[in-house]
């Protein structure tokens, strides 16, 4: 049972909608329309998360450090080798040398303990150093196969925090058309929101274009990942920690979101990280 | 086993039988085909679905290799090792053990999948954008270690172009690919969008969303573990729960409101048609979990757990049913900086010339195990339709068997000797020309 301290220090915050209740503040669920609010620069304790501006929900939630935490969480979600170490591959009973690999190469392959992330890092390193992989070109996000190695965009393609990629040209994931684009939308940089560059009369691309498309080298692994949503898209949705509904209430102490005062009570009792104030 | 033949094999001739392995992260779809077959109809019966994992139970200290899992009675705390990560074979030690058990050992004869590698062609699938080291390893293992007589490494999505058309166009000739196909593969590790032109991948427009069946299962595990019942070690159970109760909501906002208990001042009545009681298996009395409609009075029954009634572990699943699959359409819900599936499709199209857009949007094929979630294709169609202008024709087909569809395409491809000759590299050709040549051929760089 968590220790219960006295009611935390209550601050009257100059926010548009405030209820007279201790310990939480209503925040507007981010909408596409940005409402102008007063600049809130109250620097007192406890306002670290409360008053960075209603219009900057995105910035607050996606600070680099928090994004890193989120990325770690996502990587955990996408991993399935957490307990794979306890699984030992059964060896064959005959114990012949054939079990270990017929050639030196295969023996090396069979005993390698590398994970996919190692291969990916190796490939990125090779591409960054030489601009080619296996002697052949590859496509990056920008579509350019760098003529010069050590081009920073190619090297850092995977290291750039994804947050920053929002600013970059991303909506078409690159324009890897080596030949002059025919029939390419003039608004190639236009965001995917309304795909109205289509009409039934767009010309079918020429054979040269088709050949160029077919012969294009494969993308680098990170370049083929789906790009972040454009900045004009609605901000990310936040959910209640306890029950999963919309997260409309924010705990003043730790910034976690819950849906209502009920859930907030549970959160403060069991899950709030700042119970020592 | 001695494999030295007394006479030299004929030069660059195909072996008579082809083993097609759709080597997925969750399951291997495996079966034989032959270009000498008179009957070129595809037959999904020939496809065996093999769990691609080695699992170990600490409770009874048993290890299950691949299809041995079917004989497992106690899935509790089963730890899995998957040789395939993100669609690529990275752990060859376990993959070799699985292949040997399934295809080369004597025990495989009873299951009908036994083959002698030197007399068999192998068609092995991989994902696009594979790191070169991974491809090199697969090539070496197939030819040097297992010694297949012929070998081809293809991007898995290609199989779909050769399968029977899911659009009801009837059966084409075996080995002739569909002209335009936009394949959406909602798989275990991730979801890929791959445009195919005449059965060849348009590399520059491939896109990948890093949310797959594995992500959804882990997310469900997390949610249930933090809210109700510790499931972190129960991969198999969580997977079954996901398959039993999860669905894709057609209107997320509405559904979320329907299962909210309300705030302090704003009490709501939960819509109990969505809420579900899931009885967890304990592998002694209850062998398989099942769901039943939520019984609100079970709050009282919970207090009676262990008293009078047989014990059952109950988990109440409400918004997790649809908020977990919602990740496919809104990955930002967990903070992933990617667009949802619809946005990913549009990104892929944006990388193609406008003149091709209509052709691909009229031929969208959805495959993959995760696409079996109820409501998936409808939601995808609805969302995609709303993002396109009205004069675009959108035609989305869901493969009849989303798991084996690509495999059946490979089977039909292998029925056609010409098509097969184009992709297979025989062992002799490899030994003469080297692995670099072979890799370039698989990429389509060399003629022939």
């Amino acid at each position: 049972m968590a220790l219960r301290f006295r009611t935390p220090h209550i601050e009257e915050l100059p926010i548009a909608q405030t209820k007279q209740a201790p310990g939480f503040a209503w925040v507007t669920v981010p909408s596409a329309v940005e409402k102008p609010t007063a600049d809130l620069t109250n620097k007192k304790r406890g306002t670290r998360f409360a008053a960075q501006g209603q219009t900057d929900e995105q910035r607050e939630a996606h600070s680099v450090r928090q994004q890193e935490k989120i990325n770690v969480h996502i990587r955990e979600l996408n991993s399935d080798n957490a307990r794979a170490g306890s699984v030992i591959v059964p060896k064959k009973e005959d114990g012949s040398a054939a079990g270990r690999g017929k050639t030196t190469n295969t023996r090396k392959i069979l005993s390698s303990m590398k994970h996919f992330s190692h291969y990916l890092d190796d490939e990125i390193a090779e591409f960054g150093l030489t601009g080619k992989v296996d002697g052949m070109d590859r496509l990056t996000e920008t579509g350019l196969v760098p003529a010069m190695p050590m081009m920073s965009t190619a090297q850092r393609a995977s290291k750039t925090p994804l947050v920053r990629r929002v600013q970059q040209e991303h909506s078409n994931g690159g324009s890897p058309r080596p030949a002059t684009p025919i029939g390419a939308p003039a608004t190639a940089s236009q965001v995917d929101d309304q795909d109205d560059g289509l009409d039934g009369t767009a010309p079918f691309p020429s054979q040269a274009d088709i050949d160029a498309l077919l012969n294009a080298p494969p993308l680098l692994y990170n370049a083929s990942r789906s790009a972040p949503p454009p900045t004009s898209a609605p901000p990310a949705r936040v959910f209640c920690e306890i029950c999963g509904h919309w997260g409309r209430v924010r705990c003043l102490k730790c910034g976690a979101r819950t849906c209502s005062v009920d859930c907030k009570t549970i959160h403060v009792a069991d899950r709030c990280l700042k119970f020592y104030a | 086993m001695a494999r030295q033949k007394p006479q030299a094999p004929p030069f660059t001739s195909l072996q008579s039988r082809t083993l097609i392995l759709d080597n997925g992260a969750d399951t291997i779809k495996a079966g034989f085909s032959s270009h000498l077959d008179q009957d070129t109809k595809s037959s999904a019966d020939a496809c065996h679905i093999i769990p691609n994992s080695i699992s170990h139970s600490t409770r009874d200290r048993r290890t299950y290799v691949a299809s041995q899992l079917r004989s497992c009675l106690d899935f509790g705390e089963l730890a899995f090792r998957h040789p395939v990560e993100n669609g690529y074979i990275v752990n060859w030690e376990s993959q070799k053990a699985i292949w040997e058990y399934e295809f080369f050992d004597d025990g495989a004869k009873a299951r009908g999948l036994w083959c002698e590698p030197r007399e068999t062609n192998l068609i092995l699938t991989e994902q696009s954008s594979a790191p070169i080291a991974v491809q090199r390893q697969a090539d070496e293992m197939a030819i040097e270690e297992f010694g297949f007589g012929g070998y081809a490494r293809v991007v898995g999505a290609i199989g779909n172009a050769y399968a029977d058309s899911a659009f009801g166009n009837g059966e084409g000739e075996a080995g002739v690919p569909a002209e335009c196909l936009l394949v959406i593969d909602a798989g275990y590790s991730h979801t890929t969008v791959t445009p195919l032109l005449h059965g060849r991948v348009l590399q520059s427009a491939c896109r990948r969303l890093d949310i797959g069946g594995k992500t959804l299962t882990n997310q469900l595990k997390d949610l249930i573990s933090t809210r109700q019942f510790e499931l972190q070690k129960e991969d198999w159970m969580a997977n079954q729960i996901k398959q039993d109760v999860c669905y894709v909501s057609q209107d997320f906002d509405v559904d979320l409101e329907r299962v909210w208990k309300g705030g302090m001042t704003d009490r709501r009545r939960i819509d109990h048609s969505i809420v579900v009681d899931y009885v967890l298996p304990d592998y002694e009395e209850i062998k398989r979990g099942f769901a039943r409609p939520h019984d609100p009075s079970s709050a009282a029954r919970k207090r009676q757990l262990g008293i009078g009634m047989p014990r059952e572990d109950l988990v109440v699943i409400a918004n997790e049913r649809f908020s977990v699959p919602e990740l496919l359409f809104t990955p930002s819900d967990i903070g992933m900086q990617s667009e949802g599936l619809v946005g990913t499709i549009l990104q892929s199209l944006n990388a193609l010339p406008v003149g091709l857009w209509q052709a691909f949007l009229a031929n969208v094929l959805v495959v993959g195990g995760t696409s079996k979630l109820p409501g998936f294709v409808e939601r995808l169609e609805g969302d995609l339709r709303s993002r396109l202008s009205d004069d675009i024709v959108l035609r989305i087909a869901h493969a009849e068997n989303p798991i084996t569809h690509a495999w059946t395409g490979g089977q039909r491809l292998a029925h056609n000797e010409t098509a097969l000759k184009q992709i297979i590299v025989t062992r002799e050709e490899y030994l003469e020309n080297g692995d670099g040549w072979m890799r370039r051929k698989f990429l389509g760089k060399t003629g022939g």
Side-chain angles (χ1 to χ4, degrees):
Chain A
M1 187 119 91
L3 286 175
R4 288 295 212 128
F5 289 85
R6 316 195 51 171
T7 314
H9 175 57
I10 299 176
E11 311 255 341
E12 214 39 83
L13 297 172
I15 300 176
Q17 307 149 23
T18 313
K19 294 257 170 106
Q20 284 297 334
F24 73 94
W26 290 105
V27 297
T28 51
V29 175
S31 59
V33 176
E34 303 197 337
K35 306 189 189 69
T37 44
D39 180 36
L40 308 158
T41 52
N42 191 335
K43 292 196 176 51
K44 291 204 188 147
R45 179 175 71 98
T47 61
R48 192 169 9 129
F49 299 97
Q52 284 178 13
Q54 303 281 17
T55 56
D56 285 340
E57 300 288 349
Q58 269 180 312
R59 214 193 317 164
E60 162 228 302
H62 294 302
S63 69
V64 175
R65 204 183 48 158
Q66 276 190 292
Q67 188 60 37
E68 258 318 298
K69 262 189 1 193
I70 295 176
N71 285 345
V72 165
H73 174 59
I74 290 174
R75 240 172 282 142
E76 265 176 32
L77 279 183
N78 269 332
S79 84
D80 58 1
N81 281 327
R83 290 158 59 229
S86 67
V87 181
I88 304 174
V89 178
K91 295 265 179 288
K92 310 200 44 133
E93 286 82 34
D94 56 7
S96 67
R100 281 190 299 113
K102 297 209 176 73
T103 70
T104 31
N105 281 340
T106 49
R107 245 171 270 146
K108 256 193 286 189
I109 295 173
L110 283 170
S111 58
S112 116
M113 306 273 281
K114 280 182 163 184
H115 289 298
F116 176 69
S117 50
H118 304 140
Y119 293 116
L120 191 59
D121 291 341
D122 288 345
E123 171 133 315
I124 294 172
E126 180 183 350
F127 186 68
L129 279 178
T130 64
K132 285 179 188 294
V133 175
D134 192 34
M136 288 187 281
D137 300 332
R138 291 284 235 204
L139 291 174
T140 64
E141 283 141 0
T142 52
L144 301 171
V145 176
M148 299 223 307
M150 311 291 279
M151 197 169 278
S152 55
T153 33
Q155 241 183 342
R156 285 176 54 76
S158 68
K159 302 279 195 288
T160 308
L162 291 171
V163 173
R164 294 205 211 125
R165 278 171 48 175
V166 173
Q167 271 84 43
Q168 293 173 19
E169 171 86 39
H170 63 67
S171 63
N172 60 2
S175 357
R177 296 177 212 114
T180 37
I182 297 187
T187 51
S189 59
Q190 184 183 352
V191 136
D192 313 332
D193 266 339
Q194 277 306 142
D195 270 306
D196 51 3
L198 302 155
D199 54 1
T201 61
F204 201 77
S206 70
Q207 191 55 40
D209 276 347
I210 303 255
D211 286 342
L213 274 179
L214 285 171
N215 292 326
L219 287 164
L220 285 177
Y221 185 77
N222 286 323
S224 57
R225 182 179 293 130
S226 172
T231 30
S232 61
R237 313 191 282 205
V238 192
F239 297 97
C240 168
E241 275 196 337
I242 311 290
C243 72
H245 198 253
W246 302 117
R248 280 191 274 247
V249 174
R250 187 168 48 196
C251 174
L252 270 188
K253 291 201 265 185
C254 71
R257 299 284 190 114
T258 48
C259 66
S260 59
V261 184
D262 285 346
C263 283
K264 167 127 194 323
T265 318
I266 304 175
H267 162 82
V268 164
D270 298 330
R271 308 248 290 255
C272 188
L273 300 171
K274 306 260 173 166
F275 46 86
Y276 289 126
Chain B
M1 218 180 331
R3 292 218 181 98
Q4 298 305 316
K5 295 256 156 92
Q7 74 279 19
F11 188 63
T12 64
S13 73
L14 292 174
Q15 304 299 325
S16 53
R17 268 214 311 182
T18 307
L19 173 65
I20 300 138
L21 287 190
D22 186 354
N23 218 81
D26 191 28
T27 53
I28 305 180
K29 278 66 74 182
F32 292 105
S33 174
S34 172
H35 56 93
L36 302 173
D37 270 352
Q38 296 308 317
D39 177 12
T40 60
K41 285 166 107 69
S42 76
S43 152
D45 297 334
C47 178
H48 300 244
I49 302 179
I50 300 166
N52 195 12
S53 57
I54 302 183
S55 37
H56 178 71
S57 162
T58 42
R59 301 219 285 223
D60 23 318
R61 259 159 290 177
R62 287 186 60 182
T63 303
Y64 304 95
V65 173
S67 51
Q68 286 175 349
L69 196 59
R70 295 212 183 95
S71 65
C72 175
L73 295 172
D74 185 352
F75 292 98
E77 292 186 13
L78 206 53
F80 286 87
R81 177 193 285 260
H82 294 267
V84 173
E85 238 184 278
N86 289 30
Y88 311 107
I89 308 177
V90 292
N91 190 310
W92 272 104
E93 192 193 350
S94 26
Q95 189 69 86
K96 174 170 181 290
I98 293 175
W99 279 11
E100 280 177 350
Y101 174 76
E102 292 292 336
F103 311 123
F104 309 136
D105 282 353
D106 294 332
K109 291 182 179 153
R111 286 187 296 273
L113 277 177
W114 185 86
C115 70
E116 170 63 56
R118 195 56 71 92
E119 294 161 6
T120 316
N121 305 310
L122 172 69
I123 297 184
L124 180 64
T125 61
E126 60 167 7
Q127 291 288 314
S128 53
S129 299
I132 292 291
V134 166
Q135 293 179 325
R136 249 186 244 139
Q137 288 190 351
D139 298 347
E140 265 177 29
M141 289 298 285
I143 302 237
E144 313 259 358
E145 174 72 18
F146 296 110
F148 278 97
Y151 169 62
R153 178 174 34 82
V154 299
V155 172
I158 288 179
N160 294 295
Y162 290 90
D164 288 341
S165 166
F167 294 98
N169 290 345
E171 247 179 55
E173 198 190 306
V176 174
E179 202 176 308
C180 264
L181 198 60
L182 186 63
V183 175
I184 300 176
D185 182 356
Y188 179 73
S189 332
H190 48 219
T191 305
T192 51
V193 178
T194 316
L196 300 174
L197 195 61
H198 293 291
R200 296 183 60 190
V201 179
L202 296 182
Q203 299 280 6
S204 52
C206 292
R207 291 290 180 270
R208 180 191 72 249
L209 174 63
D210 284 324
I211 302 260
K214 172 172 49 170
T215 324
L216 300 183
T217 307
N218 285 339
Q219 172 75 350
L220 186 63
K221 256 201 307 189
D222 273 356
L223 289 181
I224 297 186
S225 298
T226 48
R227 291 178 191 172
Q228 294 184 56
F229 192 93
E230 179 62 35
L231 279 186
Q232 286 298 350
K233 290 202 196 141
E234 305 283 356
D235 292 336
W236 181 266
M237 209 191 285
N239 201 39
Q240 288 200 323
I241 300 178
K242 179 190 77 173
Q243 290 174 353
D244 285 348
V245 309
C246 282
Y247 67 93
V248 178
S249 154
Q250 302 304 314
D251 191 339
F252 182 70
D253 298 1
V254 164
D255 281 348
L256 197 59
E257 289 291 328
R258 281 165 68 184
V259 291
W260 192 37
K261 63 172 184 344
M264 203 164 61
T265 52
D266 177 20
R267 286 287 171 219
R268 303 284 180 90
R269 291 202 59 225
I270 298 185
D271 182 346
H272 284 297
S273 61
I274 296 184
V275 186
V276 133
D277 281 350
Y278 195 89
V279 177
L280 299 176
D282 59 4
Y283 304 113
E284 286 161 37
E285 303 286 325
I286 310 171
K287 298 285 181 193
R288 173 73 164 85
F290 58 92
R292 56 176 184 236
H294 178 63
D295 181 359
S297 75
S298 70
R301 192 188 312 164
K302 261 188 179 175
R303 284 181 235 123
Q304 298 173 26
L305 272 179
I307 306 171
M309 320 179 51
R311 264 218 68 186
E312 53 180 22
D313 286 320
L314 201 66
V315 176
V316 180
I317 308 185
N319 56 37
E320 294 88 353
R321 284 186 77 184
F322 50 84
S323 68
V324 164
E326 183 69 20
L327 289 184
L328 287 162
F329 295 93
T330 323
S332 54
D333 282 352
I334 49 168
M336 182 181 277
Q337 296 283 341
S338 285
E339 282 196 84
L341 183 52
V342 173
T344 310
I345 298 174
L346 294 174
Q347 284 177 30
S348 168
L349 283 178
N350 264 321
L352 295 171
V354 187
L356 287 177
W357 290 6
Q358 172 63 88
F360 279 110
L361 283 169
N363 289 290
V364 181
L365 177 66
V366 175
V367 291
T370 308
S371 72
K372 286 163 79 168
L373 283 169
F376 180 84
V377 178
E378 291 83 358
R379 170 74 183 270
L380 175 64
E381 183 156 13
D383 280 8
L384 192 52
R385 178 78 263 177
S386 68
R387 295 275 286 258
L388 299 172
S389 63
D390 286 335
D391 47 1
I392 296 291
V393 172
L394 177 65
R395 225 169 35 140
I396 301 189
H398 191 198
E400 249 186 67
N401 189 331
I403 297 189
T404 59
H405 197 254
W407 183 90
T408 56
Q411 183 196 39
R412 300 208 77 211
L413 171 76
H415 276 145
N416 182 322
E417 188 168 348
T418 335
L420 201 58
K421 271 212 175 99
Q422 276 185 332
I423 59 168
I424 294 268
V425 169
T426 63
R427 190 183 166 77
E428 295 75 29
E429 284 172 353
Y430 166 80
L431 292 171
E432 175 167 311
N433 296 309
D435 60 318
W437 170 86
M438 183 167 73
R439 273 201 300 280
R440 276 193 296 282
K441 170 163 177 178
F442 288 152
L443 266 184
K445 291 284 183 258
T446 58

